Amino acid sequence: MKISVIIPTYNEEERIQRLVSYLKQCGTGYDLELIVVDGQSTDQTVNKIRESETKIILSEKKGRAAQMNSGVRHSTGQILYFVHADATPPSSFPKDILKALEEGYNAGCYRFIFDSSHPLLKINAFCTRFDRLMCRGGDQTLFVTRSLFEELGGYKDHYRIMEDFDLIERIQEHGRFKIIPKNVTVSARKYKKNGYLTVNIANLIVFLMYFAGASQTKLVHTYKRLIDHSKFN
């Protein structure tokens, strides 16, 4: 089965080539398709992707949800695997995903660890082993069969935040979701820039607002007011 790896980017010139090269190497011996969907980057991200000879889609809409949906439309795999540009999956990810499908799961993710030894970040990482929606997120990467993704209507294009929570919640209502007991390595840059407590408080506030029914406009405004995040620049 072909796995389409879809990476949304925005100003990721410092890490995109390394990630793409790594993913290609991990896919040796597997039917892997790599698609990067750029959301109007203002740095050299697009040129870096072209230098790596990787398929690139220039999204008309900025935002991970719209970008990932665009990537799906340009993909051909029966399995979709969404990877954020600041996340590095285990080298065994093709084998892990195919094994999960053989076990009867049609979607899932990994746990994660940070590329930092900060003791408090280890608490966040530890929680990703639990099967609770609050412990999920796009940083853990997400695989889903194309059939289930299309049945659910994919990501909601207008979502600029909480898009992964929304999709995972719908997946868990209609499919079998596996948390693979291996770790994605995630950049701690957001925490280094804003501080551990600030980011966690912001995440909690936005999470509670989301489940209270707040609009995307309110959620984005609140998040931008609380922390500095390149996602919304």
Side-chain angles (χ1 to χ4, degrees):
M1 297 180 75
K2 179 184 284 188
I3 302 174
S4 294
V5 182
I6 299 169
I7 309 168
T9 57
Y10 178 72
N11 289 354
E12 293 289 353
E13 63 179 6
E14 294 183 4
R15 59 181 69 232
I16 190 60
Q17 278 186 315
R18 184 170 63 253
L19 175 62
V20 165
S21 176
Y22 171 78
L23 294 173
K24 285 181 178 179
Q25 183 178 0
C26 296
T28 302
Y30 293 92
D31 192 359
L32 202 74
E33 174 183 50
L34 199 59
I35 300 174
V36 180
V37 191
D38 189 70
Q40 305 171 30
S41 288
T42 58
D43 64 359
Q44 293 299 308
T45 297
V46 172
N47 290 334
K48 296 289 186 182
I49 297 166
R50 286 174 175 155
E51 288 173 9
S52 69
E53 299 182 347
T54 300
K55 183 174 182 179
I56 180 171
I57 307 299
L58 303 179
S59 178
E60 294 181 1
K61 291 184 178 180
K62 181 179 172 182
R64 281 181 183 154
Q67 289 172 234
M68 291 187 285
N69 281 339
S70 178
V72 172
R73 289 192 293 271
H74 287 85
S75 69
T76 59
Q78 299 95 334
I79 309 164
L80 307 172
Y81 185 42
F82 301 99
V83 179
H84 288 183
D86 62 349
T88 305
S91 60
S92 59
F93 77 84
K95 180 180 179 180
D96 297 338
I97 291 172
L98 293 173
K99 184 174 184 293
L101 293 172
E102 290 175 2
E103 294 172 349
Y105 295 93
N106 49 10
C109 68
Y110 285 97
R111 302 171 181 177
F112 75 56
I113 56 173
F114 287 101
D115 61 353
S116 167
S117 59
H118 194 297
L120 292 177
L121 289 177
K122 293 180 181 179
I123 298 173
N124 290 48
F126 181 80
C127 291
T128 61
R129 69 190 58 220
F130 300 118
D131 188 13
R132 296 289 183 273
L133 186 61
M134 192 173 185
C135 301
R136 302 279 69 82
D139 289 339
Q140 294 164 254
T141 71
L142 174 69
F143 72 87
V144 58
T145 61
R146 175 182 292 274
S147 58
L148 179 57
F149 184 85
E150 292 179 345
E151 177 187 338
L152 297 175
Y155 288 98
K156 293 180 180 176
D157 247 20
H158 68 286
Y159 270 41
R160 294 188 62 205
I161 190 170
M162 302 297 287
E163 70 281 347
D164 293 297
F165 287 95
D166 170 73
L167 181 59
I168 291 171
E169 187 176 23
R170 286 184 282 134
I171 286 174
Q172 291 180 331
E173 291 174 354
H174 296 87
R176 293 192 66 209
F177 192 89
K178 181 178 179 66
I179 303 168
I180 300 173
K182 294 183 182 181
N183 293 317
V184 170
T185 301
V186 179
S187 170
R189 59 186 177 179
K190 178 172 62 176
Y191 292 86
K192 292 176 181 177
K193 190 173 188 178
N194 295 278
Y196 174 84
L197 290 177
T198 299
V199 173
N200 276 280
I201 290 171
N203 289 343
L204 177 60
I205 289 173
V206 170
F207 186 88
L208 294 175
M209 287 176 64
Y210 170 75
F211 282 100
S215 68
Q216 282 289 303
T217 300
K218 280 190 175 182
L219 292 173
V220 171
H221 175 75
T222 300
Y223 205 59
K224 288 174 68 174
R225 182 168 51 83
L226 293 171
I227 71 168
D228 182 6
H229 197 312
S230 60
K231 176 178 178 179
F232 301 113
N233 290 342

